[in-house]
Amino acid sequence: MQGSAEFIDGFLGEHGLPAPDAVISGIPFSTMPRAVADRIAAAIAGALAPSGRFVAYQVRPHVADYTTPYLGRPRRQWELINIPPVRVFTWTRGD
Ligand SMILES: C[S@@+](CC[C@H](N)C(=O)[O-])C[C@H]1O[C@@H](n2cnc3c(N)ncnc32)[C@H](O)[C@@H]1O
């Protein structure tokens, strides 16, 4: 699909897809407009299945500021076998 992740719910609906068990993303939360980043975090939180996960791999930590209000505190890890190393944030809905 081509379009903003803000509209994930519409994309899923158009294709008759169920709520996803996981959303995995490397989109740049640190450089996009704050309002867009907030809408994406809200949309992902709203789209996930119960107990679904949102996994974001990011160079910078901004995604946590946007997503924590919707999904709570993330698990934080580093993936060092990447150039450059990236932070990996994991939220599990309902945690
Ligand atoms: C650094 S690239 C990462 C590409 C790929 N995910 C990877 O890890 O190799 C960032 C990607 O985020 C996409 N992107 C930026 N804003 C977006 C948005 N609002 N919704 C969906 N994708 C977006 C860009 O089109 C670009 O493909």
Side-chain angles (χ1 to χ4, degrees):
M1 297 297 302
Q2 284 194 332
S4 176
E6 291 159 272
F7 309 114
I8 183 172
D9 214 33
F11 299 144
L12 291 168
E14 274 174 42
H15 292 273
L17 293 168
D21 293 320
V23 171
I24 301 170
S25 175
I27 64 176
F29 280 87
S30 61
T31 56
M32 64 179 61
R34 295 180 64 89
V36 173
D38 182 66
R39 286 197 294 270
I40 292 173
I44 291 170
L48 281 175
S51 302
R53 289 182 186 180
F54 173 37
V55 181
Y57 56 95
Q58 302 277 301
V59 173
R60 299 191 186 90
H62 300 64
V63 66
D65 295 336
Y66 295 110
T67 307
T68 298
Y70 298 104
L71 288 172
R73 289 163 62 95
R75 176 179 179 204
R76 295 169 182 253
Q77 298 164 285
W78 277 97
E79 179 51 72
L80 300 176
I81 308 176
N82 191 69
I83 301 172
V86 286
R87 303 160 200 265
V88 181
F89 298 88
T90 304
W91 284 269
T92 303
R93 191 172 174 191
D95 264 8

